[in-house]
Amino acid sequence: MTPQEFERLLKPGGSSVMYTAADGMRLAEALAGLDERQRQKLSTTAKATWRELTSGPYSRDKYEFAGLGVLGVGSLADARKVAVEYLSFQEAAAIKLLIDRRPEWIDEWVRHKLEDDYPRLSWRLMRALINAGVCRKPETPGYAASMSGSLMVNFNSQVPLSERLMNDPDLLPDVWRFFEQDVCPFHDGSEWIPALCELSSQGIIDRQRLLDATLDSLFHDVSNAARGGYVRFYRSLRATPEERAARQPVFLELLSHRSSSVVKFALDELTRLDKQNSLDGEAFLASGGSVFALKPKSQPVAALKLAASVANRNTELIPSAISFVSEGLMHDSADVQGQTLSLLERWQDRLHQDHLVEIRERSLGLAATTRKQAETLLASAGSQTASQPNVADPPGVDRVHWLSLVAGLDTHWRRLAGVDDVLEAIECNRLPPPLEFRLLDVPVLTGTEPVHPIQSVDELLDATAHSIEIVESADEIERILDGISRLCDQRPADFELRAAPIIARLEGGPARDALRGLLDPYWVPEFVRRVVRCWLTRQPYNPVIADQMPHSFQHLDYIHAFIDARAEEIARRVQLDRPAPMLSAPTHQSGWLEPCEFVRRLKQFGTFDEFPVADVIQALLRLAPDNRTRALADARELAGDVGRAVRWALGGDDGPVPEDRDWFAVWLAAGRARNPYGELKELASLLPNGDAALAIYPAKYDWQPVQVNDHLTHYRPGGAVDLQMQVNSPDTRSPELSLWPTVALCQLLHGPKWGFTVSWAPSWKAQWLTSIWPLNCESRLAAGAAVLCQRVNAPASSLEPNYIYLMPLLEPDRPWSELAYLACWIALISKDADSRGLGIDCMVQAIDDGRATADQAADVLVRLLPGGWVKLNRVANTLEEIALVSPHHTWWTANLLQGFLARLTEFPRDGHHLLTLLLELLSDLGLPLAPQTTKRLNSIRGGGKAAILIRHLLKLPNTGKSEKLTSALQRALDGRIARAIRWSQPSADSRNRTGRG
Amino acid sequence: MAATLDYTYRYPFASTIGVTNGEFGLSLATCDARHRHPHFFSGRLREPRVVADLLLVLSDVVRTHYFLPRPANLDPVVTSSPEMLRFEGFSGCCGVYARVDLPVEAFDCEIQGRGSTNVDFNGDMRASLGRLRDADHAKLAVGREGIELDVAGETVVEKKVKLPVRWIKGFSEVQAYQPCMKVRVEVSATAARQFVRRLPRGAGPKRVSYVVQNAGSLRLTQLKSSGAIAFEGTNRIRALEPLLTTAHTLRIWADDESGVSGWEVLSTTGRFFLMLSPRLYRGFSGEGQVLEKLAGRRWQEALPYVQSHLAWQSQIDVSALARKIGLSECEVHDSLAVLGSRGLAGFDVSAGRYFHREMPFDLAQVETLQPRLKDARRLLMSNAASIIVELGNGAFDVGVAGTGTTHHVRLRPDGDRCTCPWFSRHQGQRGPCKHVLAAQMLVGADEEDQI
């Protein structure tokens, strides 16, 4: 056959024809008589036709037919590329073709097709080749995997699998591969299970070998799903009592398996053996101890029951049973510990001194609810329980020390820090009330780390080079802008040498590595890059905006325009070689600006013709509450409109006048600096237009959870839950917003909710937005609550660093608003480990320093419940971690839970998780239920776990003042004294700062 | 440079648990770099279950890639000395180093053999390890006496693997971190178990987490604080869970500078040491901790003397060795660090000393596996570096040619800097860049010329 003839065979009607099975068979017949040399001559044509037929839109018939040509004449390398896992049209032709050809590479080809996790070779094709003696039966697990899947799929036949296997006896030995090669076909509903059971019952397959092989497979390194399959199959075999008894040693070995599901299976079988009186009790007690190392509690509980049964049957085994069950005291579950102690109580008269020593040692780690039981047991057995040393908690209250510390405190700060509240709480033995203060009333800089300005051009070049690769924080960008602003006139001798590589990277553009550092086109406003380039190159600054932001980010436009305006002001100075400090450069982290430093910078600006408006606005919004009175005095000499606005911002009496209308943006910022949360009535006369009214009213947020099954939500990403967040500021497109950042920040809430939105911003970007107005970060918390919802049921992601929205809550002087609790709760119930972890840290810190209010936290949690997506087991797990931190946290958490339960109108189905935790916490503290909670729990009717727990809770006694409570109060007092001392100390202000231009 | 090397483990038999020569126990097959099959040891285990757990967890680490679903098929390395058997392994992702130390007290006889070799860890053996119990009178044999491939009479086990170059580099590089680590936390195994069980599932947080000691317990936090130990990848820590039921203590070692941490589980029978790279997605291989030492010259004369005194010591006393061969302790230290980077020495943090072992691979040219060092030498060879200015007190400005630009390297006593993207990104945390190395070599050579 010539290549031309072959080509005509491959393309009988041109390349647009539909290829049928008959075409394939014709091709196979035509090639049948060719030897390998003749075939080799045709391989180029086959490959060319393959390329032609498979290019363009995918068409299965062409693909299969072209593959047939390659299989017929191609080499091993060519044949490897042909997909043969499923052939719709040409299977018969492929079989004929390969049987006729008998290529010497066939075994290698088959092995290659089977070596992946999923076999890529049609089962029927492979079996036909094996049956025809063309290839050997492959040894790889892929063969068993293919057999497992393919034999079950038989749409054209009603013949059961067992019959099909009997019809092809060559397959029967292959069944053992399922056990030897860890290919488990026994998923739920698998046809293999009844088939093998049937064959074993007929004696066609060795039943005993089947039982042994199944058990042996459980020891192999297979997935949990596969282990479940083997267990399922073993159970389907319905082992007889004799068969079960014969395998008792294997079940005992399985008790030390790492998989809890396998141990459960072994315990079930051993329990059956016990019921049929065939359990070797001594062997069980000698080998079952490792069950207690498992994390779940059902296996240890089953082991305890079995031990009790063994000991009941043979009382001589009680000493061994005591040693065995004592291991249960090491388990983390209070249930397991409790049942262990009940058994030990039952065998109390057989307890040996060694047992008591062992129990005493283990009682150290017991849960609070079982500790009393252990003490009673040991006491009645003539031994004492071990005391629980707590390194962190001092043994008692040092009242003298406290009082001397308190007496030395400034009265104002002492009152504001709630020290007296704690002293009163100590007298009444109750948890102190939460701390209440306004952000504007306290010196926040005393608890905030300073930001050190860049000192030299050397440092500035290094910082810039680094930020092109990675932006470490929002402060870093501000430091660089400030550095350029102050040091732009300095050009050391080696400046060009050092700047050249940085310019090369800046101008290389973001094409290769778009989303990094300052080159990131989405998150870094364009003018920030331009000001850096302008400083490095001295080339003229281009003030024209070229690109628009993508639609998803258009709500960022006004904020970016504001930042661009600031950058442009700096760029103008750079071009004029006129260094000056950046007015808004933060002196402290989170964007705070020390007021006296601000005034000092303004005075430096006195020599300039005009003030940079955007910079002034930004600086005003960053003014810290500290030292405002002193700054106001310093600002007395500041001239002009800016001077008046600054003085008003700092608390001065002279507000705006109608002539200030042109300066509305500056006065708005000044108003928001002195009154971040209220209505700015003084600005009403300045309003430039009707829309502007929204700027002078405070933003108000309203939220409610959206139900999981709400069909109105058309699209929701996997793992997300929905929260409806509304703000009273309407979605507007007013150009003035670019100088009204307080309003523009609220506008971000109107952006798209799902998909590639601002929630994908890097962590520093969210920090930067928060640092625009640190006096009021409600808009950021509202955005955070919505963003955190995106990963409530999804693991952490580097692309969505949602945890960053919680960072303001870690600032020790930021009071917690409702939105703060909301964001924190969403993080706490999230599967996103980053958000959950930081949520726990926020809550731990806020409890410690008194900012967290159990009642308000309970209110927000109750409001979240109607969404149906708050899982109370997650709440319980998270609160348990918080409670473990200290007795103070334990007490607070107990109060929160009680508050939550008392507020419930309907008891949730998974509420028992919280009751279990509450019981543990109150037992630990020695406290009874609060009256309101008692009343609420008394009203709950029904049975089940919750009812049992409620009965236990209602019986809790009040043990009076416990060491734990004292320790908790001491920690609370220490925290508040530390706060009062900190507030009374002057902050490190700008006067000590150096390096200013 | 190829990313992987084709390597074949050739064992005379498959490691197994069962009856061998009339005795029940674990029989490990060995295979060294030259495909010899040394026999190191055969003795009864005092606590078979504990040893089985230690080896299983080691095997878990070696077979795991901690951030991609790519199971590795690499075997651990065992080093035998009269005082101790050490099994070492390295995860498939090259970010976790694990070592099991079994002192002679773990056995009822003395350890005779000296040397290092691969040991076969196969699936069947792992399955059998899980079945060992303390009540079993089991022995451990590392190799078989007099066994050769042609006379073993059993099926030869060949495992062809792709040995990632970064795996070999990381295995060596990891030793460079350990001398800087200090023990920071010590808690009971019960507290450690509770901590590990409370860790988030999966890889956990994507950012750096911290562990802090809170009274006698451990707590995970996302906040950096004084005394907090940084780590990433909670799934890497969870590997330890099976050991914490039978162990008595957990010690955490750390070095804040590099960000590595070492988790040491102590049991009555032996120790398990798990060392984590600073980041989950960053193995040890690219860290370049020893590059400066390799680029320097202090060790070059001392190295042959130090190497000639290695005799499979389980602990190398640097002071004694320095006295013995008449070198300074610094020279011996540097030489051992370089030997560590060549796979010829390991470091035991508990003892605070190096030990001698030889990685059973051909590591004669490990230095050539250091691309930055190789690139730096290439830059020097092509005269791509020149001193711009000498500022005195060891400070130099050097220009080194880069891609389309010339990088400005500043060599300063308080830290060297470069304008290249790599240095800008990592700020020296992953060792010096090739430009800094080239500048250092250039300046070092000039100084020697002047002398």
Side-chain angles (χ1 to χ4, degrees):
Chain A
M1 186 185 297
T2 65
Q4 291 72 24
E5 288 166 344
F6 183 50
E7 191 175 357
R8 277 197 294 278
L9 263 176
L10 289 173
K11 294 189 284 187
S15 58
S16 59
V17 75
M18 169 92 183
Y19 292 91
T20 62
D23 292 327
M25 201 49 89
R26 221 170 2 256
L27 178 66
E29 277 162 8
L31 293 174
L34 301 185
D35 61 23
E36 278 304 312
R37 277 188 65 183
Q38 290 168 314
R39 286 173 196 263
Q40 206 176 346
K41 285 179 186 166
L42 304 174
S43 69
T44 310
T45 309
K47 279 191 281 187
T49 314
W50 160 272
R51 276 194 295 273
E52 185 186 333
L53 293 182
T54 55
S55 61
Y58 176 74
S59 166
R60 176 169 274 282
D61 65 302
K62 282 183 193 165
Y63 194 92
E64 287 188 12
F65 190 75
L68 215 54
V70 175
L71 287 180
V73 300
S75 65
L76 171 62
D78 300 331
R80 277 180 167 185
K81 293 172 192 159
V82 179
V84 285
E85 51 266 55
Y86 175 68
L87 295 169
S88 305
F89 306 101
Q90 308 298 356
E91 193 167 66
I95 291 169
K96 174 170 173 47
L97 196 142
L98 288 170
I99 288 176
D100 290 341
R101 184 178 179 187
R102 293 181 175 261
E104 58 183 17
W105 41 255
I106 193 76
D107 288 327
E108 177 65 16
W109 181 73
V110 169
R111 193 192 57 73
H112 168 76
K113 291 288 178 191
L114 296 178
E115 71 187 2
D116 285 352
D117 288 345
Y118 297 98
R120 293 175 293 117
L121 179 59
S122 146
W123 171 252
R124 274 186 297 196
L125 173 59
M126 177 165 53
R127 284 301 300 169
L129 297 177
I130 293 169
N131 288 336
V134 174
C135 74
R136 286 194 291 268
K137 199 183 274 187
E139 292 298 321
T140 55
Y143 175 80
S146 182
M147 174 174 162
S148 132
S150 306
L151 277 184
M152 276 199 302
V153 183
N154 194 350
F155 300 112
N156 303 325
S157 169
Q158 295 303 311
V159 183
L161 177 56
S162 54
E163 265 187 62
R164 274 181 272 141
L165 286 169
M166 281 189 284
N167 293 339
D168 190 352
D170 183 49
L171 289 176
L172 289 174
D174 299 338
V175 164
W176 301 109
R177 296 189 185 204
F178 295 151
F179 306 96
E180 290 154 4
Q181 295 182 329
D182 302 336
V183 176
C184 179
F186 308 121
H187 54 81
D188 197 12
S190 163
E191 213 185 327
W192 281 103
I193 298 175
L196 295 190
C197 289
E198 175 64 24
L199 291 173
S200 70
S201 69
Q202 291 184 29
I204 295 168
I205 290 182
D206 182 351
R207 176 178 166 82
Q208 299 310 312
R209 187 179 166 194
L210 216 44
L211 285 166
D212 289 335
T214 312
L215 291 180
D216 206 42
S217 297
L218 292 174
F219 289 100
H220 294 184
D221 265 336
V222 290
S223 66
N224 276 335
R227 285 194 194 109
Y230 289 122
V231 167
R232 188 177 295 115
F233 178 61
Y234 181 88
R235 288 191 169 135
S236 302
L237 284 170
R238 297 180 188 279
T240 62
E242 294 73 27
E243 287 170 338
R244 190 176 293 120
R247 286 163 184 84
Q248 184 166 180
V250 184
F251 299 134
L252 291 174
E253 277 185 323
L254 285 173
L255 288 179
S256 44
H257 203 283
R258 288 195 201 175
S259 158
S260 51
S261 60
V262 173
V263 174
K264 183 179 181 309
F265 161 71
L267 281 165
D268 287 348
E269 291 303 300
L270 291 168
T271 306
R272 288 203 177 102
L273 282 171
D274 185 48
K275 283 182 183 156
Q276 66 191 48
N277 282 329
S278 339
L279 179 66
D280 179 349
E282 199 170 353
F284 167 69
L285 295 174
S287 52
S290 52
V291 173
F292 298 105
L294 294 174
K295 188 181 175 185
K297 64 180 181 180
S298 65
Q299 290 82 353
V301 167
L304 289 173
K305 279 184 187 158
L306 200 50
S309 167
V310 165
N312 281 349
R313 190 166 294 127
N314 182 355
T315 52
E316 284 181 11
L317 290 177
I318 288 179
S320 303
I322 291 173
S323 297
F324 175 83
V325 301
S326 298
E327 297 284 331
L329 295 177
M330 300 278 282
H331 199 270
D332 298 335
S333 156
D335 278 354
V336 175
Q337 294 168 8
Q339 294 193 33
T340 302
L341 287 165
S342 301
L343 282 177
L344 292 173
E345 279 165 4
R346 195 195 298 175
W347 299 324
Q348 192 174 330
D349 52 343
R350 302 288 295 272
L351 287 175
H352 186 266
Q353 196 56 38
D354 291 347
H355 291 137
L356 292 174
V357 171
E358 206 170 13
I359 295 166
R360 196 163 56 240
E361 281 172 1
R362 287 171 183 182
S363 67
L364 276 174
L366 289 181
T369 43
T370 53
R371 217 174 290 146
K372 187 82 186 159
Q373 201 179 350
E375 282 169 16
T376 313
L377 171 69
L378 287 166
S380 58
S383 182
Q384 285 183 333
T385 186
S387 62
Q388 295 226 333
N390 192 340
V391 182
D393 304 323
V397 182
D398 187 351
R399 293 184 74 84
V400 178
H401 175 66
W402 276 2
L403 291 173
S404 69
L405 268 177
V406 170
L409 295 173
D410 178 283
T411 323
H412 171 69
W413 296 122
R414 170 179 149 172
R415 185 186 50 75
L416 208 57
V419 174
D420 297 326
D421 293 340
V422 184
L423 290 175
E424 204 180 310
I426 290 171
E427 293 306 319
C428 311
N429 200 33
R430 59 172 167 77
L431 197 67
L435 201 52
E436 283 179 14
F437 60 88
R438 290 190 329 141
L439 185 65
L440 278 179
D441 294 340
V442 298
V444 297
L445 301 186
T446 56
T448 315
E449 290 294 314
V451 173
H452 299 288
I454 286 174
Q455 303 282 348
S456 64
V457 176
D458 258 11
E459 197 187 337
L460 182 58
L461 283 165
D462 283 343
T464 308
H466 182 50
S467 68
I468 287 176
E469 300 303 320
I470 299 171
V471 177
E472 297 286 356
S473 67
D475 291 338
E476 196 55 22
I477 297 191
E478 295 285 352
R479 284 176 79 240
I480 290 171
L481 290 175
D482 174 53
I484 293 173
S485 179
R486 283 186 294 108
L487 306 169
C488 59
D489 63 332
Q490 296 180 26
R491 315 289 279 196
D494 61 354
F495 186 88
E496 270 71 30
L497 277 177
R498 294 185 55 196
I502 305 174
I503 295 167
R505 276 148 63 194
L506 259 181
E507 295 189 338
R512 201 184 62 172
D513 195 359
L515 299 174
R516 73 184 163 123
L518 279 183
L519 301 181
D520 186 328
Y522 294 117
W523 310 119
V524 180
E526 175 60 26
F527 282 35
V528 173
R529 273 189 295 279
R530 288 188 195 176
V531 77
V532 173
R533 196 176 294 130
C534 174
W535 162 62
L536 288 170
T537 62
R538 298 233 162 175
Q539 284 173 2
Y541 174 76
N542 175 11
V544 180
I545 291 184
D547 303 322
Q548 285 294 313
M549 287 288 275
H551 174 72
S552 307
F553 306 136
Q554 276 177 7
H555 284 79
L556 270 173
D557 279 353
Y558 297 113
I559 285 293
H560 278 200
F562 174 63
I563 297 170
D564 277 343
R566 287 178 53 208
E568 197 174 351
E569 288 166 356
I570 296 170
R572 265 189 252 129
R573 287 204 296 276
V574 171
Q575 289 210 297
L576 295 170
D577 247 0
R578 294 192 69 178
M582 189 170 80
L583 296 172
S584 59
T587 57
H588 290 72
Q589 286 182 357
S590 309
W592 290 116
L593 172 58
E594 203 278 327
C596 294
E597 169 66 13
F598 170 51
V599 174
R600 194 187 69 78
R601 291 175 191 171
L602 278 170
K603 285 180 177 173
Q604 274 189 288
F605 250 95
T607 57
F608 283 71
D609 301 334
E610 59 179 27
F611 281 101
V613 173
D615 200 15
V616 169
I617 290 170
Q618 178 59 92
L620 287 168
L621 292 174
R622 284 180 171 165
L623 284 179
D626 314 47
N627 308 327
R628 286 195 175 192
T629 312
R630 203 170 68 217
L632 179 62
D634 292 350
R636 206 177 308 131
E637 298 145 21
L638 285 175
D641 297 329
V642 169
R644 284 195 299 118
V646 168
R647 281 191 292 277
W648 192 55
L650 290 169
D653 297 327
D654 294 335
V657 292
E659 289 73 34
D660 291 326
R661 184 167 290 126
D662 292 344
W663 285 84
F664 178 77
V666 174
W667 283 96
L668 176 64
R672 284 294 166 227
R674 67 182 270 146
N675 183 7
Y677 292 94
E679 184 185 337
L680 298 173
K681 288 178 186 160
E682 301 92 331
L683 298 185
S685 61
L686 271 60
L687 290 174
N689 56 48
D691 281 354
L694 63 99
I696 65 168
Y697 293 105
K700 290 208 179 337
Y701 301 89
D702 190 24
W703 58 271
Q704 59 180 23
V706 179
Q707 289 205 350
V708 177
N709 54 1
D710 181 358
H711 300 299
L712 294 175
T713 307
H714 300 294
Y715 167 72
R716 185 186 295 154
V721 296
D722 203 355
L723 182 82
Q724 192 175 15
M725 177 67 71
Q726 287 174 319
V727 60
N728 59 346
S729 163
D731 191 1
T732 177
R733 286 272 173 269
S734 171
E736 288 99 337
L737 286 183
S738 58
L739 284 179
W740 301 352
T742 51
V743 184
L745 282 170
C746 299
Q747 294 294 311
L748 291 178
L749 281 175
H750 297 303
K753 195 183 237 176
W754 312 119
F756 187 45
T757 65
V758 288
S759 71
W760 288 60
S763 56
W764 60 264
K765 179 71 179 194
Q767 273 180 311
W768 206 9
L769 294 178
T770 310
S771 76
I772 287 176
W773 192 19
L775 281 162
N776 181 340
C777 62
E778 289 293 278
S779 67
R780 305 312 302 143
L781 288 171
V787 166
L788 283 159
C789 283
Q790 304 229 8
R791 303 202 72 82
V792 163
N793 293 317
S797 161
S798 320
L799 294 174
E800 292 180 85
N802 301 339
Y803 68 88
I804 204 72
Y805 288 89
L806 301 172
M807 295 305 264
L809 307 185
L810 290 168
E811 294 167 34
D813 297 327
R814 186 173 294 285
W816 277 35
S817 61
E818 186 183 81
L819 288 176
Y821 288 100
L822 176 66
C824 197
W825 269 124
I826 295 171
L828 290 175
I829 59 167
S830 177
K831 279 176 94 173
D832 175 346
D834 280 322
S835 302
R836 179 179 179 269
L838 198 67
I840 290 176
D841 289 327
C842 290
M843 198 59 106
V844 164
Q845 192 169 312
I847 293 168
D848 242 341
D849 62 24
R851 285 178 299 146
T853 316
D855 279 342
Q856 216 175 337
D859 277 337
V860 174
L861 184 60
V862 169
R863 272 188 68 188
L864 276 173
L865 283 187
W869 40 262
V870 174
K871 295 187 166 66
L872 294 184
N873 60 332
R874 289 193 200 167
V875 174
N877 287 340
T878 305
L879 290 179
E880 186 183 5
E881 280 190 44
I882 292 169
L884 279 171
V885 173
S886 78
H888 182 202
H889 293 82
T890 310
W891 200 351
W892 188 94
T893 309
N895 277 12
L896 161 73
L897 286 172
Q898 297 206 67
F900 173 74
L901 292 169
R903 284 168 172 78
L904 287 176
T905 48
E906 193 180 335
F907 193 77
R909 247 182 16 179
D910 52 352
H912 62 89
H913 294 290
L914 299 184
L915 294 175
T916 307
L917 178 62
L918 181 61
L919 179 62
E920 207 56 56
L921 300 183
L922 290 176
S923 304
D924 194 26
L925 294 165
L927 288 173
L929 274 179
Q932 271 187 318
T933 321
T934 307
K935 192 176 161 194
R936 177 71 189 91
L937 293 185
N938 263 324
S939 68
I940 295 171
R941 297 280 167 265
K945 276 184 194 172
I948 297 169
L949 287 161
I950 288 170
R951 278 203 295 279
H952 284 299
L953 277 164
L954 292 171
K955 281 187 212 159
L956 279 175
N958 188 349
T959 57
K961 271 195 174 183
S962 75
E963 201 176 293
K964 288 259 178 186
L965 301 185
T966 309
S967 171
L969 289 167
Q970 174 147 353
R971 187 161 173 146
L973 186 60
D974 285 346
R976 297 203 182 185
I977 289 174
R979 180 185 286 274
I981 292 172
R982 175 166 64 77
W983 279 350
S984 61
Q985 287 169 347
S987 62
D989 67 24
S990 58
R991 282 173 302 179
N992 297 327
R993 298 161 65 80
T994 55
R996 292 279 152 187
Chain B
M1 184 176 61
T4 57
L5 303 175
D6 287 320
Y7 186 81
T8 306
Y9 295 105
R10 295 195 79 212
Y11 297 106
F13 58 93
S15 293
T16 181
I17 293 182
V19 178
T20 316
N21 297 334
E23 284 188 289
F24 174 75
L26 167 61
S27 183
L28 296 174
T30 59
C31 165
D32 71 8
R34 294 178 200 163
H35 287 156
R36 292 174 307 193
H37 312 286
H39 171 240
F40 287 148
F41 170 75
S42 182
R44 194 169 294 284
L45 293 165
R46 292 190 197 277
E47 291 184 291
R49 179 71 246 160
V50 177
V51 172
D53 280 342
L54 290 167
L55 294 181
L56 265 176
V57 174
L58 175 75
S59 170
D60 288 344
V61 172
V62 172
R63 292 160 63 98
T64 306
H65 192 297
Y66 281 95
F67 59 89
L68 285 175
R70 284 186 197 155
N73 191 22
L74 306 170
D75 283 337
V77 172
V78 64
T79 301
S80 174
S81 69
E83 296 83 22
M84 197 170 283
L85 273 185
R86 294 183 199 266
F87 293 82
E88 291 175 275
F90 205 55
S91 67
C93 58
C94 308
V96 183
Y97 165 76
R99 196 180 68 233
V100 172
D101 291 343
L102 294 176
V104 69
E105 293 78 25
F107 313 101
D108 67 353
C109 65
E110 292 181 353
I111 304 170
Q112 302 92 12
R114 289 163 184 251
S116 299
T117 178
N118 294 302
V119 280
D120 171 41
F121 268 35
N122 56 63
D124 288 346
M125 188 202 91
R126 278 172 54 83
S128 305
L129 271 178
R131 303 168 87 152
L132 266 189
R133 285 176 293 181
D134 276 340
D136 297 331
H137 295 285
K139 69 159 195 169
L140 171 68
V142 183
R144 277 189 205 161
E145 204 160 2
I147 200 144
E148 289 302 331
L149 278 181
D150 52 348
V151 296
E154 295 182 41
T155 313
V156 173
V157 179
E158 277 198 356
K159 284 196 262 187
K160 290 183 180 171
V161 292
K162 298 274 182 199
L163 211 54
V165 169
R166 57 194 291 268
W167 189 87
I168 304 176
K169 273 174 62 188
F171 211 145
S172 311
E173 186 88 15
V174 75
Q175 310 304 331
Y177 286 93
Q178 297 185 51
C180 307
M181 293 167 78
K182 300 272 179 291
V183 67
R184 299 272 290 276
V185 162
E186 184 165 333
V187 290
S188 71
T190 309
R193 192 184 67 227
Q194 286 166 350
F195 168 73
V196 171
R197 284 184 175 174
R198 278 198 298 269
L199 288 173
R201 287 182 186 174
K206 294 288 178 193
R207 55 198 288 252
V208 178
S209 301
Y210 299 87
V211 55
V212 287
Q213 191 164 7
N214 185 24
S217 62
L218 295 176
R219 189 166 81 81
L220 183 75
T221 168
Q222 301 300 304
L223 298 179
K224 189 176 182 177
S225 60
S226 110
I229 298 167
F231 73 100
E232 212 179 270
T234 48
N235 54 340
R236 305 196 288 180
I237 303 296
R238 255 202 313 277
L240 294 175
E241 191 188 337
L243 303 177
L244 296 171
T245 338
T246 48
H248 55 79
T249 305
L250 171 78
R251 278 193 204 142
I252 310 179
W253 300 74
D255 171 34
D256 288 341
E257 184 77 16
S258 60
V260 295
S261 60
W263 302 63
E264 186 184 22
V265 179
L266 305 173
S267 67
T268 49
T269 295
R271 285 181 307 200
F272 189 94
F273 184 69
L274 186 87
M275 193 168 154
L276 309 183
S277 62
R279 297 282 180 274
L280 175 64
Y281 300 104
R282 214 173 96 190
F284 283 104
S285 58
E287 297 295 293
Q289 297 301 312
V290 287
L291 282 178
E292 269 171 315
K293 284 200 171 80
L294 289 173
R297 288 157 184 260
R298 197 163 66 175
W299 53 272
Q300 288 190 350
E301 284 182 18
L303 190 85
Y305 298 102
V306 175
Q307 192 169 356
S308 67
H309 282 78
L310 297 181
W312 306 106
Q313 298 97 320
S314 64
Q315 290 182 17
I316 298 171
D317 184 339
V318 171
S319 311
L321 187 58
R323 276 196 306 275
K324 192 172 174 184
I325 50 182
L327 293 167
S328 71
E329 285 188 26
C330 292
E331 285 173 310
V332 175
H333 253 301
D334 279 6
S335 300
L336 284 169
V338 172
L339 286 169
S341 76
R342 292 180 175 182
L344 298 176
F347 193 85
D348 181 341
V349 284
S350 300
R353 288 180 174 178
Y354 282 94
F355 61 89
H356 179 208
R357 69 109 160 76
E358 291 184 4
M359 293 262 289
F361 308 106
D362 182 16
L363 295 172
Q365 298 301 314
V366 160
E367 262 180 68
T368 62
L369 301 177
Q370 303 283 4
R372 266 180 272 163
L373 199 58
K374 219 161 62 176
D375 290 346
R377 289 192 176 129
R378 199 178 297 139
L379 284 169
L380 275 189
M381 296 272 285
S382 58
N383 293 323
S386 60
I387 295 174
I388 298 169
V389 60
E390 181 179 351
L391 302 162
N393 295 327
F396 291 86
D397 281 3
V398 181
V400 184
T403 313
T405 187
T406 300
H407 291 299
H408 192 265
V409 176
R410 281 167 298 152
L411 301 180
R412 300 286 185 274
D414 58 346
D416 305 328
R417 306 190 71 81
C418 178
T419 52
C420 74
W422 200 87
F423 186 90
S424 299
R425 174 172 275 266
H426 302 300
Q427 301 284 296
Q429 285 178 351
R430 296 198 191 177
C433 64
K434 62 185 177 187
H435 309 105
V436 169
L437 283 173
Q440 284 172 346
M441 287 194 269
L442 176 73
V443 167
D446 272 15
E447 281 176 346
E448 276 190 8
D449 291 346
Q450 283 169 21
I451 292 165

